Amino acid sequence: MENVLYLVIPCYNEEEVLPETSTRLQKKMTDLIGRKKIDQKSRIIFVNDGSKDKTWKLIEELHQKDKIFGGINLSRNRGHQNALLAGLMTVKEHADMVISMDADLQDDIKAIDEMVDKYLDGTDIVYGVRSSRQKDTFFKKATAEGFYKMMNAMGANTVFNHADYRLMSRRALEGLAQYGEVNLFLRGVVPMIGYNTDVVYYERGERFAGESKYPVGKMLTLAVEGVTSLSTKPIRMITGLGFFIFIVSIGMLIYSLVRHFIGATIVGWTTLMVSVWAIGGLILLSLGVVGEYIGKIYLETKARPRFIIEQFLNDEKE
Ligand code: UDP
Ligand code: MG
């Protein structure tokens, strides 16, 4: 068996980090090839997610200079998850194992060695897990960890403190390819594939250039997308809430009747106002949640393509 490794790196407006990232990764790959851990035909593939800057031009230049670099150009910006998926699905026929990572190398590339070793020992999926977040700001740390906790509470089981830095074998990728959903949330779906899995711990560093393309707003959207595409727990929670309110209303009924017969019926304007607003708000919120799911169904029935590839640059010769 050959051990061809492909790195897949989604890039959105990353002209500032690409030169440094490509140099570091090239060194890492040459080292691994030299030590016969991976095959000569291993490649570094950058996925350009519709960048507005010179990212794609830089990728083309890298590819011309050294065939270890390849590129996938998406027809437009589709977001990190789709760009990653596009990369994985495109390279899976060429590689025996694929590692996905971010362009800013916040995820320590030293972990690649360990991931490859685990693959060679027969592991199909190796998750990169952040051992600490010392380099992240307090705000980023709090929002990011809150993100994982909320996801799990809502029924979307993900690996804690694991983003999309992971190794997948070819057969794991073939498993992933069978999940045909349009709203694919990788971190939730990958653990469903099964096979032998393992984790590798690493320290998360700082972004060395450029700025984060994942502000809080996008992270919240990702969390909602993740939850609604993985589980129906929120709907079940609404049912539970409805049941609870029904029980309360029986209490209220008895209370009102008692008040009526005592003859003190005028008081209670405040209670009435409060409950009208509270129940109204709850109903709207519940409708919204149910609507989210209906929206998902609508999008799924359309079965639109998750990405469109404009160009794939890859030199497969030795
Ligand atoms: N990214 C992408 N498309 C987008 C937004 C981000 O491909 O629409 C890529 C980005 O280039 C980077 C990765 O997703 O390689 C993670 O983004 P970033 O480092 O900005 O997120 P953070 O580390 O701050 O959470
Ligand atoms: Mg980053």
Side-chain angles (χ1 to χ4, degrees), residues 174-190:
E174 265 151 20
L176 177 65
Q178 289 177 43
Y179 287 80
E181 56 214 82
V182 177
N183 297 286
L184 189 80
F185 183 66
L186 281 167
R187 281 173 229 179
V189 169
V190 172

Side-chain angles (χ1 to χ4, degrees), residues 102 104 106 204 207:
D102 290 350
D104 53 12
Q106 281 186 287
R204 181 160 162 95
R207 196 177 237 279

Side-chain angles (χ1 to χ4, degrees), residues 40 61 122 180 240:
Q40 282 268 319
E61 279 168 21

Side-chain angles (χ1 to χ4, degrees), residues 10 12 22 26 46 62 64 69 81 85 124 138 166 169 201 213 256 280-281:
Y12 177 58
S22 55
Q26 185 187 32
F46 294 107
L62 285 168
Q64 293 209 320
F69 295 111
Q81 291 284 302
L85 188 69
D124 282 275
F138 173 76
R166 76 176 86 78
S169 68
Y201 293 94
K213 274 89 193 165
S256 315

